[in-house]
Amino acid sequence: MPTALITGITGQDGSYLAELLLGKGYRVVGFVRKDAAHEPNNVEHLADRVELITGDLRDAHSVADAVRESAPDEVYNLAAQSDTQASFDQAELTEQVVGQGVAHLLESLRHHASAARFFQASSSEIFGQPLAAPQNEQTGMRPRSPYGHAKVFAQKAVTTARHGDGLFAVSGILYNHESPRRGPQFVSRKITMGVARIQCGLQADLVLGDLDARRDWGFAGDYVDAMWRMLQTSAPKDYVIGTGRTWSVRELCEMAFRVVGRDYQEHVKVDPGLVRPPELVPLVADASLARRELGWQATTAFPQVVEMMVEADLARVEAAAR
């Protein structure tokens, strides 16, 4: 039975990955912070099937202890301060967790589990303001946020570990991926939760920024499958993971309100203070390498993901009102 160590196991991606690996017969060990009790826990339904080790990616000793204790065959680093906007207010924390935490993990693998395979959750934010679209594995990195810069540092650490230390270490350059387990600070959940609250009579309007901003949105359950596939290859390599199609925030709103039979134009208000400068070149994935070499592609249509999210948030709001 192979063992997988997952950082960020209680988050969106970590929980879907844990389910996937358990279904494949893995022993699954999660690395969680001691002070994470107040945060959403998406693996409560797996409590009797996963093992949890407490620690902190900022603490090299606790990372090493977790690697020694779990003796992993595969390590998936999904933990991060992943809110791009929040990273401007928490730049030091973002650098420590997103960047330095990866260095701690790789150092621990060098000393205690050099045969283990390592996956790093990178981000399309490493491209920042790209010069061309779509982006692929050769696109230059031009980050424009502390989060993006930290992800670049992490990806370069993975490349060094792969070429300099001989570790099986890869980065998956992940574009936006959503689900009912997405954190409430992200625009997708802000919209679907707003729809649920409006439908239940708890608010009248939903205030957003630029409705014409576009993103390459996919389903988190599809993306964790790509993570696993990347660690099953014969040679380590980085891959871009995304759908190759963008949707606007306006289209997301239209789809979400349609689920409850409402017109988004009657409820969505734009706050000019929330509108960011327009992006000249969109972030959109060219995942053709992953299709060719991993046999992976996104299989869940984004309108289906939005419907799933609205229905889940409706159930949450209705349950809270009882």
Side-chain angles (χ1 to χ4, degrees), residues 6-20 39-43 45-46 78-80 82 121 174-186 188-189 192 217-225 227 302 305 308-309 316:
I6 304 174
T7 73
I9 193 172
T10 60
Q12 169 185 258
D13 292 6
S15 61
Y16 281 111
L17 179 62
E19 291 171 347
L20 176 74
E39 297 177 356
N41 183 349
N42 292 301
V43 293
H45 64 296
L46 303 176
L78 311 183
S82 56
L174 310 175
Y175 282 67
N176 294 63
H177 45 288
E178 317 300 313
S179 78
R181 302 175 190 175
R182 189 60 146 154
Q185 72 273 30
F186 294 93
S188 58
R189 274 296 307 287
T192 60
W217 273 305
F219 175 52
D222 291 341
Y223 287 44
V224 299
D225 175 59
M227 299 174 190
F302 188 55
V305 179
M308 190 188 313
M309 294 173 69
R316 290 187 182 104

Side-chain angles (χ1 to χ4, degrees), residues 272-310:
L274 298 177
V275 176
R276 304 178 197 172
E279 296 170 341
L280 301 179
V281 178
L283 285 173
V284 57
D286 173 2
S288 56
L289 187 66
R291 288 196 298 273
R292 289 196 307 270
E293 297 189 358
L294 302 179
W296 179 88
Q297 62 180 1
T299 59
T300 309
F302 188 55
Q304 181 182 346
V305 179
V306 175
E307 181 177 0
M308 190 188 313
M309 294 173 69
V310 171

Side-chain angles (χ1 to χ4, degrees), residues 137 172-175 222-223 226 230 239-243 285 287 290 294 296:
E137 293 78 8
I173 304 169
L174 310 175
Y175 282 67
D222 291 341
Y223 287 44
M230 288 177 65
Y239 292 90
V240 163
I241 304 298
T243 71
L294 302 179
W296 179 88

Side-chain angles (χ1 to χ4, degrees), residues 193-208:
M193 180 58 79
V195 169
R197 289 179 56 82
I198 289 169
Q199 182 68 6
C200 293
L202 299 178
Q203 67 185 64
D205 299 322
L206 176 61
V207 180
L208 299 171

Side-chain angles (χ1 to χ4, degrees), residues 3-5 27 29 51 53 65-73 75:
T3 295
L5 175 64
R27 169 185 171 235
V29 182
E51 303 169 38
I53 297 174
D65 288 344
V67 170
R68 282 194 298 264
E69 183 178 340
S70 60
D73 299 289
V75 177

